[in-house]
Amino acid sequence: MNIVILAAGMGKRMRSALPKVLHPLAGQPLLSHVIDTARTLSPTRLVVVVGHGAEKVREMVGAPDVQFASQDKQLGTGHAVQQAVPLLDPSVPTLVLYGDVPLTRASSLQRLLDAAGTDKYGVLTVTVDNPTGYGRIVRNANGNVTKIVEQKDATPDQLEIAEINTGIIVTPTRQLEAWLASLKNNNAQGEFYLTDVVERAIEAGVDVVTAQPDAEWETLGVNSKVQLAELERVHQRNVAYALLEAGVTLADPARIDVRGTLTCGADVSIDVNCVFEGNVTIADNVSIGPNCVIRDASIGAGTRIDAYTHIEGATAGAKVVLGPYARLRPGAKLSDEAHVGNFVEVKNATLGHGSKANHLTYIGDADIGARVNIGAGTITCNYDGANKFRTVIEDDVFVGSDTQLVAPVRVGRGVTIAAGTTVWKDVGEGELVLNEKTQISRNDYVRPTKKKS
Ligand code: UD1
Ligand code: CA
């Protein structure tokens, strides 16, 4: 089958310089959602009709399986499909989707495709409480569709019809070119309506069938920021309920946002206001506290992530303890039973089995062995203003509080670093390292006092 996605419209009511179909829903442009759904149906040709903001839209899509047709002037949905026809395979049906209708499920589209087969004209319709603004499905006494009338062209009787055109259709392709070429724009909006093709199909003796989606929200489009926000909530609720169905405990399904793919094992619990982005995998028995942001990460079984922890591009093993207020940046790799506590930042560094950095620390570009204890206020000085260097700390090292490690530097196995040490030379196995300092106490000191004006 061919799939055509209409995405030329300008989206004036978004009040934005960004083309409408590029506005994000769940972190992805609206159009990406439609393209992803289209791909699950394995089309032989996939064509996006671009017009308003065409360059930006082409750039965002940039995939080898997608072709583009330009519609320089938006003269109507029929005119838009006409631009794609030369790119279609005439021997298979064509499904038309909308770049601003992001949540249609493949199962609903499949139902429409099954109803239409290879030789019928299919329209996805839905019966709604308030049909205002939509095209109405007009049927004869036998219940057969005879035409679709737009709101602005409808008679008072037709306005009473509650079955509406979602806009999504499937049509045999061979006659489509001729049908589209014969469209007239003598209607209330002066546009070439795709909806008028139904009448051409009937004249040509092609059966018109309809199918309905599982849920009404699948057919909702985005014309404004209000509708965008509403569909975001619909999508997030769907994701949250799917997680609950899969056995994940959510403190509140209305307070979780998944902008990407979240995969959870058994007995995972997630507190309120967590945001998951990109690809996140969470193993069994993980508990996540409130207000965590986790992006492109893998978390091992039995790990506990406390409140306000940020994780990006990092992996944590099993039974790790993170946070509250921990930050794992790209390339952080924590082995099993590691602890990273409050106000500790780890970047491009490995932390071995059972190693702990519990307070106020920066670990960047470092390889840290097992059972290392890193005291509060430890800093790896990894950057000289031009280049970055690594710090290596071997197993069983004790790093005293307020230590600076000036990279490149290696600290041997079992070393003890005294509190307040600046380590700028390698330290051999088992040694104690400290900087000589003097503590002076004086009893002749008088604190300054404020002068009276
Ligand atoms: C269309 C249908 C209407 C249906 C409604 C469902 C027609 C004539 N009407 O109306 O029956 O109930 O969708 O939401 O088809 N577009 C282009 N080029 C154009 C015009 C539109 O690419 O020249 C794209 C838009 O970007 C949008 C889609 O087609 O993605 C629908 O266009 P829109 O103007 O919103 O159609 P409606 O008037 O809502
Ligand atoms: Ca619309």
Side-chain angles (χ1 to χ4, degrees):
M1 145 206 45
N2 306 292
I3 297 184
V4 175
I5 302 174
L6 303 190
M10 127 132 142
K12 215 192 222 164
R13 285 194 280 149
M14 296 300 279
R15 300 186 185 279
S16 164
L18 191 67
K20 176 163 78 176
V21 294
L22 298 189
H23 282 267
L25 181 136
Q28 290 294 316
L30 293 171
L31 180 57
S32 300
H33 290 271
V34 184
I35 291 175
D36 287 350
T37 306
R39 283 191 180 123
T40 68
L41 299 169
S42 311
T44 44
R45 309 270 171 93
L46 179 51
V47 181
V48 177
V49 180
V50 293
H52 193 80
E55 269 322 299
K56 279 188 190 160
V57 176
R58 281 170 193 262
E59 201 177 295
M60 184 287 294
V61 177
D65 61 333
V66 179
Q67 290 180 281
F68 295 95
S70 302
Q71 187 196 27
D72 298 332
K73 280 195 186 135
Q74 279 79 64
L75 302 180
T77 48
H79 179 259
V81 173
Q82 205 174 11
Q83 311 314 306
V85 169
L87 298 172
L88 304 179
D89 175 355
S91 68
V92 291
T94 298
L95 174 68
V96 178
L97 304 176
Y98 293 75
D100 56 359
V101 179
L103 299 183
T104 320
R105 284 191 287 208
S107 54
S108 295
L109 297 174
Q110 192 60 55
R111 189 173 305 143
L112 177 67
L113 294 168
D114 292 344
T118 55
D119 57 350
K120 299 187 198 62
Y121 191 94
V123 184
L124 192 71
T125 73
V126 61
T127 301
V128 296
D129 292 338
N130 178 12
T132 308
Y134 290 101
R136 307 299 206 282
I137 305 296
V138 180
R139 293 177 184 266
N140 63 18
N142 299 327
N144 297 323
V145 176
T146 56
K147 61 175 176 172
I148 300 174
V149 304
E150 291 305 291
Q151 166 92 20
K152 288 180 181 154
D153 301 295
T155 64
D157 277 357
Q158 289 168 338
L159 290 176
E160 296 296 311
I161 299 171
E163 186 185 8
I164 58 118
N165 171 33
T166 64
I168 293 171
I169 58 121
V170 57
T171 173
T173 306
R174 222 176 281 285
Q175 296 122 297
L176 185 61
E177 186 171 9
W179 292 341
L180 290 168
S182 73
L183 292 179
K184 302 270 184 315
N185 66 348
N186 55 346
N187 49 51
Q189 301 185 80
E191 288 183 3
F192 297 97
Y193 291 164
L194 179 62
T195 44
D196 288 349
V197 171
V198 162
E199 290 160 79
R200 301 296 186 279
I202 294 168
E203 283 158 24
V206 170
D207 284 346
V208 176
V209 295
T210 59
Q212 284 70 44
D214 293 317
E216 192 181 320
W217 50 256
E218 291 185 56
T219 66
L220 298 177
V222 172
N223 297 299
S224 66
K225 290 285 173 76
V226 170
Q227 290 170 337
L228 179 62
E230 286 169 354
L231 282 193
E232 177 80 31
R233 283 307 104 206
V234 168
H235 175 77
Q236 294 301 343
R237 185 200 61 204
N238 292 342
V239 172
Y241 276 81
L243 289 168
L244 292 170
E245 296 288 354
V248 176
T249 300
L250 300 179
D252 181 356
R255 283 183 290 168
I256 173 171
D257 283 75
V258 180
R259 302 172 190 150
T261 310
L262 172 61
T263 311
C264 292
D267 295 301
V268 169
S269 84
I270 302 173
D271 211 328
V272 298
N273 295 331
C274 292
V275 178
F276 299 88
E277 298 182 323
N279 256 311
V280 177
T281 307
I282 293 173
D284 297 350
N285 294 304
V286 169
S287 89
I288 302 177
N291 299 294
C292 294
V293 178
I294 305 181
R295 180 189 187 97
D296 294 323
S298 143
I299 310 295
T303 286
R304 196 180 88 218
I305 303 175
D306 287 336
Y308 294 100
T309 292
H310 285 221
I311 300 175
E312 180 182 0
T315 62
K319 295 187 185 162
V320 166
V321 179
L322 281 167
Y325 298 100
R327 180 163 186 218
L328 302 186
R329 290 175 50 205
K333 292 194 180 72
L334 311 190
S335 300
D336 296 352
E337 296 179 39
H339 290 198
V340 171
N342 41 212
F343 307 106
V344 175
E345 175 180 346
V346 182
K347 184 218 77 171
N348 190 24
T350 57
L351 204 53
H353 192 287
S355 288
K356 296 184 171 116
N358 274 330
H359 333 267
L360 295 160
T361 285
Y362 174 63
I363 300 171
D365 302 301
D367 299 299
I368 295 170
R371 299 172 303 277
V372 171
N373 195 307
I374 297 184
T378 296
I379 291 172
T380 54
C381 308
N382 58 332
Y383 185 53
D384 63 7
N387 299 297
K388 298 224 165 112
F389 301 96
R390 287 194 87 78
T391 297
V392 178
I393 299 176
E394 296 181 354
D395 295 347
D396 299 302
V397 169
F398 178 92
V399 181
S401 299
D402 193 23
T403 290
Q404 299 99 51
L405 297 131
V406 183
V409 70
R410 169 178 289 269
V411 179
R413 176 187 287 265
V415 162
T416 302
I417 303 175
T421 302
T422 302
V423 183
W424 66 88
K425 287 185 290 197
D426 290 359
V427 188
E429 205 169 296
E431 292 174 349
L432 168 71
V433 56
L434 52 88
N435 303 140
E436 268 190 0
K437 291 182 190 172
T438 324
Q439 177 172 326
I440 297 166
S441 303
R442 283 165 40 174
N443 58 11
D444 57 348
Y445 176 69
V446 180
R447 274 194 204 167
T449 52
K450 211 163 194 159
K451 285 195 180 106
K452 288 203 177 100
S453 53

Short mmCIF file of all heavy atoms in Angstrom, two decimals, residues 361-366 368 372 374-375 377-383 389-393 397-400 402-412 415 417 421-427 433:
data_model
loop_
_atom_site.label_atom_id
_atom_site.label_comp_id
_atom_site.label_asym_id
_atom_site.label_seq_id
_atom_site.Cartn_x
_atom_site.Cartn_y
_atom_site.Cartn_z
N THR A 361 30.25 16.03 45.55
CA THR A 361 31.47 15.58 44.88
C THR A 361 31.34 15.67 43.38
O THR A 361 30.23 15.54 42.84
CB THR A 361 31.79 14.14 45.35
OG1 THR A 361 32.32 14.19 46.67
CG2 THR A 361 32.75 13.41 44.45
N TYR A 362 32.47 15.92 42.68
CA TYR A 362 32.49 15.85 41.22
C TYR A 362 33.46 14.76 40.78
O TYR A 362 34.66 14.83 41.07
CB TYR A 362 32.91 17.19 40.60
CG TYR A 362 33.08 17.07 39.10
CD1 TYR A 362 31.99 16.75 38.29
CD2 TYR A 362 34.31 17.23 38.49
CE1 TYR A 362 32.13 16.60 36.92
CE2 TYR A 362 34.47 17.07 37.11
CZ TYR A 362 33.36 16.75 36.34
OH TYR A 362 33.50 16.59 34.99
N ILE A 363 32.92 13.77 40.07
CA ILE A 363 33.76 12.71 39.52
C ILE A 363 33.61 12.75 38.01
O ILE A 363 32.55 12.40 37.46
CB ILE A 363 33.31 11.33 40.06
CG1 ILE A 363 33.43 11.29 41.58
CG2 ILE A 363 34.14 10.22 39.42
CD1 ILE A 363 32.80 10.05 42.20
N GLY A 364 34.66 13.25 37.32
CA GLY A 364 34.60 13.32 35.86
C GLY A 364 35.80 12.67 35.25
O GLY A 364 36.92 12.81 35.76
N ASP A 365 35.62 11.94 34.15
CA ASP A 365 36.72 11.28 33.44
C ASP A 365 37.58 10.46 34.40
O ASP A 365 38.78 10.68 34.53
CB ASP A 365 37.58 12.34 32.71
CG ASP A 365 36.74 13.15 31.75
OD1 ASP A 365 36.15 12.55 30.84
OD2 ASP A 365 36.62 14.38 31.94
N ALA A 366 36.95 9.53 35.08
CA ALA A 366 37.66 8.78 36.11
C ALA A 366 37.31 7.29 36.05
O ALA A 366 36.22 6.92 35.62
CB ALA A 366 37.30 9.33 37.50
N ILE A 368 37.20 4.35 38.75
CA ILE A 368 37.29 4.13 40.18
C ILE A 368 36.98 2.66 40.46
O ILE A 368 35.98 2.13 39.96
CB ILE A 368 36.31 5.08 40.91
CG1 ILE A 368 36.80 6.52 40.67
CG2 ILE A 368 36.22 4.76 42.39
CD1 ILE A 368 35.85 7.57 41.12
N VAL A 372 35.74 1.63 47.01
CA VAL A 372 36.41 2.92 47.25
C VAL A 372 35.44 3.82 48.00
O VAL A 372 34.26 3.88 47.68
CB VAL A 372 36.83 3.57 45.91
CG1 VAL A 372 37.33 5.00 46.13
CG2 VAL A 372 37.88 2.71 45.22
N ILE A 374 34.69 7.64 48.82
CA ILE A 374 35.06 8.98 48.39
C ILE A 374 34.41 9.99 49.33
O ILE A 374 33.18 10.07 49.41
CB ILE A 374 34.63 9.20 46.93
CG1 ILE A 374 35.40 8.20 46.06
CG2 ILE A 374 34.85 10.64 46.49
CD1 ILE A 374 35.18 8.31 44.60
N GLY A 375 35.25 10.73 50.04
CA GLY A 375 34.74 11.64 51.06
C GLY A 375 34.04 12.85 50.45
O GLY A 375 34.17 13.15 49.27
N GLY A 377 33.07 16.42 49.25
CA GLY A 377 33.83 17.53 48.69
C GLY A 377 35.02 17.10 47.86
O GLY A 377 35.92 17.91 47.61
N THR A 378 35.04 15.87 47.41
CA THR A 378 36.13 15.41 46.54
C THR A 378 35.89 15.89 45.11
O THR A 378 34.76 15.84 44.62
CB THR A 378 36.21 13.88 46.56
OG1 THR A 378 36.55 13.48 47.89
CG2 THR A 378 37.25 13.35 45.57
N ILE A 379 36.97 16.34 44.46
CA ILE A 379 36.84 16.82 43.08
C ILE A 379 37.94 16.23 42.22
O ILE A 379 39.13 16.31 42.57
CB ILE A 379 36.94 18.36 43.03
CG1 ILE A 379 35.69 18.95 43.70
CG2 ILE A 379 37.06 18.87 41.59
CD1 ILE A 379 35.73 20.44 43.88
N THR A 380 37.55 15.63 41.10
CA THR A 380 38.55 15.26 40.10
C THR A 380 38.75 16.50 39.22
O THR A 380 37.82 16.99 38.60
CB THR A 380 38.06 14.09 39.22
OG1 THR A 380 36.80 14.43 38.66
CG2 THR A 380 37.95 12.80 40.02
N CYS A 381 39.98 17.02 39.21
CA CYS A 381 40.28 18.21 38.41
C CYS A 381 40.70 17.68 37.03
O CYS A 381 41.86 17.36 36.80
CB CYS A 381 41.40 19.02 39.06
SG CYS A 381 41.07 19.37 40.80
N ASN A 382 39.68 17.52 36.16
CA ASN A 382 39.90 16.78 34.92
C ASN A 382 40.25 17.67 33.75
O ASN A 382 40.57 17.18 32.68
CB ASN A 382 38.65 15.96 34.57
CG ASN A 382 37.42 16.83 34.43
OD1 ASN A 382 37.31 17.88 35.05
ND2 ASN A 382 36.49 16.40 33.61
N TYR A 383 40.23 18.98 33.94
CA TYR A 383 40.28 19.90 32.80
C TYR A 383 41.30 20.99 33.09
O TYR A 383 41.25 21.65 34.13
CB TYR A 383 38.87 20.49 32.64
CG TYR A 383 38.66 21.37 31.44
CD1 TYR A 383 38.99 20.94 30.16
CD2 TYR A 383 38.09 22.63 31.59
CE1 TYR A 383 38.77 21.75 29.06
CE2 TYR A 383 37.85 23.44 30.49
CZ TYR A 383 38.20 23.00 29.22
OH TYR A 383 37.97 23.79 28.13
N PHE A 389 41.69 15.06 31.19
CA PHE A 389 42.57 13.96 31.57
C PHE A 389 41.84 13.05 32.55
O PHE A 389 40.91 13.48 33.24
CB PHE A 389 43.84 14.50 32.23
CG PHE A 389 44.61 15.41 31.32
CD1 PHE A 389 44.44 16.78 31.40
CD2 PHE A 389 45.49 14.90 30.38
CE1 PHE A 389 45.14 17.63 30.55
CE2 PHE A 389 46.20 15.74 29.53
CZ PHE A 389 46.03 17.11 29.62
N ARG A 390 42.33 11.80 32.66
CA ARG A 390 41.64 10.83 33.51
C ARG A 390 42.30 10.69 34.88
O ARG A 390 43.51 10.84 35.03
CB ARG A 390 41.58 9.45 32.85
CG ARG A 390 40.60 9.41 31.69
CD ARG A 390 40.27 8.01 31.25
NE ARG A 390 39.17 7.39 31.99
CZ ARG A 390 37.87 7.66 31.78
NH1 ARG A 390 37.49 8.55 30.89
NH2 ARG A 390 36.95 7.05 32.51
N THR A 391 41.43 10.39 35.82
CA THR A 391 41.88 10.04 37.16
C THR A 391 41.62 8.55 37.35
O THR A 391 40.52 8.09 37.04
CB THR A 391 41.07 10.83 38.21
OG1 THR A 391 41.32 12.22 38.02
CG2 THR A 391 41.43 10.42 39.64
N VAL A 392 42.63 7.84 37.85
CA VAL A 392 42.42 6.41 38.12
C VAL A 392 42.58 6.18 39.62
O VAL A 392 43.60 6.56 40.21
CB VAL A 392 43.44 5.54 37.34
CG1 VAL A 392 43.24 4.06 37.68
CG2 VAL A 392 43.29 5.77 35.84
N ILE A 393 41.57 5.58 40.22
CA ILE A 393 41.63 5.25 41.65
C ILE A 393 41.39 3.75 41.75
O ILE A 393 40.33 3.26 41.34
CB ILE A 393 40.57 6.04 42.45
CG1 ILE A 393 40.83 7.56 42.30
CG2 ILE A 393 40.58 5.63 43.91
CD1 ILE A 393 39.78 8.44 42.98
N VAL A 397 40.60 2.14 47.97
CA VAL A 397 41.19 3.44 48.34
C VAL A 397 40.21 4.17 49.26
O VAL A 397 38.99 4.08 49.10
CB VAL A 397 41.49 4.28 47.08
CG1 VAL A 397 41.84 5.73 47.43
CG2 VAL A 397 42.62 3.63 46.27
N PHE A 398 40.76 4.90 50.22
CA PHE A 398 39.95 5.79 51.06
C PHE A 398 40.33 7.22 50.70
O PHE A 398 41.49 7.62 50.87
CB PHE A 398 40.22 5.52 52.55
CG PHE A 398 39.45 6.44 53.45
CD1 PHE A 398 38.20 6.07 53.94
CD2 PHE A 398 39.97 7.69 53.80
CE1 PHE A 398 37.49 6.94 54.77
CE2 PHE A 398 39.25 8.55 54.62
CZ PHE A 398 38.00 8.17 55.11
N VAL A 399 39.37 7.96 50.19
CA VAL A 399 39.64 9.35 49.80
C VAL A 399 39.05 10.25 50.88
O VAL A 399 37.83 10.29 51.08
CB VAL A 399 39.00 9.69 48.43
CG1 VAL A 399 39.31 11.13 48.02
CG2 VAL A 399 39.46 8.70 47.36
N GLY A 400 39.90 10.97 51.61
CA GLY A 400 39.43 11.86 52.67
C GLY A 400 38.64 13.02 52.09
O GLY A 400 38.75 13.35 50.90
N ASP A 402 37.27 16.64 51.03
CA ASP A 402 37.89 17.84 50.47
C ASP A 402 39.23 17.53 49.79
O ASP A 402 40.21 18.25 49.98
CB ASP A 402 38.06 18.91 51.57
CG ASP A 402 38.40 20.27 50.96
OD1 ASP A 402 38.07 20.49 49.78
OD2 ASP A 402 39.00 21.10 51.68
N THR A 403 39.21 16.47 49.01
CA THR A 403 40.41 16.10 48.24
C THR A 403 40.27 16.58 46.80
O THR A 403 39.19 16.49 46.23
CB THR A 403 40.58 14.56 48.26
OG1 THR A 403 40.94 14.17 49.58
CG2 THR A 403 41.63 14.09 47.27
N GLN A 404 41.37 17.09 46.24
CA GLN A 404 41.39 17.36 44.80
C GLN A 404 42.36 16.39 44.15
O GLN A 404 43.48 16.21 44.64
CB GLN A 404 41.87 18.79 44.48
CG GLN A 404 41.00 19.89 45.06
CD GLN A 404 41.59 20.43 46.34
OE1 GLN A 404 42.77 20.79 46.38
NE2 GLN A 404 40.79 20.46 47.39
N LEU A 405 41.93 15.80 43.05
CA LEU A 405 42.79 14.89 42.30
C LEU A 405 43.08 15.56 40.97
O LEU A 405 42.18 15.72 40.14
CB LEU A 405 42.09 13.55 42.10
CG LEU A 405 41.81 12.84 43.44
CD1 LEU A 405 40.37 12.37 43.52
CD2 LEU A 405 42.78 11.69 43.67
N VAL A 406 44.32 15.99 40.76
CA VAL A 406 44.64 16.75 39.55
C VAL A 406 45.10 15.76 38.47
O VAL A 406 46.19 15.22 38.52
CB VAL A 406 45.74 17.80 39.85
CG1 VAL A 406 46.02 18.64 38.61
CG2 VAL A 406 45.31 18.70 41.02
N ALA A 407 44.22 15.56 37.48
CA ALA A 407 44.46 14.56 36.44
C ALA A 407 45.45 15.09 35.40
O ALA A 407 45.53 16.31 35.21
CB ALA A 407 43.15 14.18 35.78
N PRO A 408 46.23 14.21 34.74
CA PRO A 408 46.19 12.76 34.90
C PRO A 408 46.89 12.32 36.19
O PRO A 408 47.99 12.80 36.48
CB PRO A 408 46.94 12.25 33.67
CG PRO A 408 47.88 13.35 33.30
CD PRO A 408 47.18 14.63 33.69
N VAL A 409 46.23 11.43 36.89
CA VAL A 409 46.84 10.95 38.13
C VAL A 409 46.30 9.56 38.45
O VAL A 409 45.17 9.23 38.09
CB VAL A 409 46.58 11.96 39.30
CG1 VAL A 409 45.11 11.96 39.71
CG2 VAL A 409 47.49 11.68 40.48
N ARG A 410 47.16 8.72 39.09
CA ARG A 410 46.76 7.36 39.43
C ARG A 410 47.00 7.14 40.92
O ARG A 410 48.08 7.45 41.44
CB ARG A 410 47.57 6.36 38.60
CG ARG A 410 47.44 4.90 39.05
CD ARG A 410 48.24 3.97 38.17
NE ARG A 410 47.64 3.84 36.86
CZ ARG A 410 46.73 2.90 36.53
NH1 ARG A 410 46.35 2.00 37.42
NH2 ARG A 410 46.24 2.86 35.32
N VAL A 411 45.98 6.60 41.58
CA VAL A 411 46.09 6.33 43.00
C VAL A 411 46.03 4.81 43.17
O VAL A 411 45.03 4.19 42.81
CB VAL A 411 44.95 7.02 43.78
CG1 VAL A 411 45.04 6.71 45.27
CG2 VAL A 411 44.99 8.54 43.55
N GLY A 412 47.10 4.22 43.71
CA GLY A 412 47.21 2.75 43.78
C GLY A 412 46.25 2.14 44.78
O GLY A 412 45.71 2.81 45.68
N VAL A 415 45.31 2.81 48.92
CA VAL A 415 45.86 4.09 49.38
C VAL A 415 44.87 4.79 50.31
O VAL A 415 43.66 4.65 50.18
CB VAL A 415 46.18 5.00 48.16
CG1 VAL A 415 46.33 6.47 48.55
CG2 VAL A 415 47.43 4.50 47.44
N ILE A 417 44.01 8.66 51.42
CA ILE A 417 44.28 10.08 51.14
C ILE A 417 43.72 10.87 52.32
O ILE A 417 42.53 10.79 52.64
CB ILE A 417 43.61 10.53 49.83
CG1 ILE A 417 44.08 9.65 48.64
CG2 ILE A 417 43.89 12.00 49.55
CD1 ILE A 417 43.37 9.95 47.32
N THR A 421 43.62 16.95 50.96
CA THR A 421 44.84 16.75 50.18
C THR A 421 44.62 17.10 48.72
O THR A 421 43.57 16.79 48.15
CB THR A 421 45.29 15.27 50.28
OG1 THR A 421 45.49 14.95 51.65
CG2 THR A 421 46.57 15.02 49.49
N THR A 422 45.62 17.75 48.11
CA THR A 422 45.65 17.92 46.67
C THR A 422 46.63 16.89 46.12
O THR A 422 47.82 16.93 46.43
CB THR A 422 46.12 19.34 46.28
OG1 THR A 422 45.24 20.29 46.90
CG2 THR A 422 46.11 19.53 44.77
N VAL A 423 46.10 15.94 45.34
CA VAL A 423 46.94 14.86 44.83
C VAL A 423 47.27 15.19 43.38
O VAL A 423 46.39 15.21 42.54
CB VAL A 423 46.18 13.51 44.89
CG1 VAL A 423 47.08 12.37 44.41
CG2 VAL A 423 45.67 13.24 46.30
N TRP A 424 48.55 15.51 43.09
CA TRP A 424 48.90 15.83 41.70
C TRP A 424 49.97 14.91 41.13
O TRP A 424 50.37 15.01 40.00
CB TRP A 424 49.29 17.31 41.55
CG TRP A 424 50.55 17.72 42.25
CD1 TRP A 424 51.81 17.65 41.75
CD2 TRP A 424 50.66 18.25 43.56
NE1 TRP A 424 52.71 18.11 42.66
CE2 TRP A 424 52.04 18.50 43.80
CE3 TRP A 424 49.74 18.56 44.59
CZ2 TRP A 424 52.52 19.02 44.99
CZ3 TRP A 424 50.23 19.09 45.76
CH2 TRP A 424 51.60 19.31 45.96
N LYS A 425 50.43 13.98 42.01
CA LYS A 425 51.39 12.98 41.54
C LYS A 425 50.84 11.59 41.85
O LYS A 425 50.10 11.42 42.84
CB LYS A 425 52.73 13.16 42.25
CG LYS A 425 53.48 14.40 41.76
CD LYS A 425 54.86 14.50 42.37
CE LYS A 425 54.74 14.83 43.87
NZ LYS A 425 56.00 15.34 44.46
N ASP A 426 51.21 10.61 41.06
CA ASP A 426 50.73 9.24 41.29
C ASP A 426 51.11 8.77 42.69
O ASP A 426 52.16 9.17 43.22
CB ASP A 426 51.35 8.28 40.25
CG ASP A 426 50.78 8.51 38.85
OD1 ASP A 426 49.90 9.40 38.70
OD2 ASP A 426 51.23 7.82 37.92
N VAL A 427 50.26 7.93 43.27
CA VAL A 427 50.51 7.42 44.62
C VAL A 427 50.61 5.90 44.55
O VAL A 427 49.75 5.25 43.94
CB VAL A 427 49.34 7.80 45.58
CG1 VAL A 427 49.70 7.44 47.01
CG2 VAL A 427 49.05 9.31 45.48
N VAL A 433 48.75 9.36 51.75
CA VAL A 433 49.19 10.59 51.08
C VAL A 433 48.52 11.78 51.74
O VAL A 433 47.35 11.76 52.08
CB VAL A 433 48.92 10.52 49.55
CG1 VAL A 433 47.46 10.24 49.24
CG2 VAL A 433 49.36 11.80 48.86
#
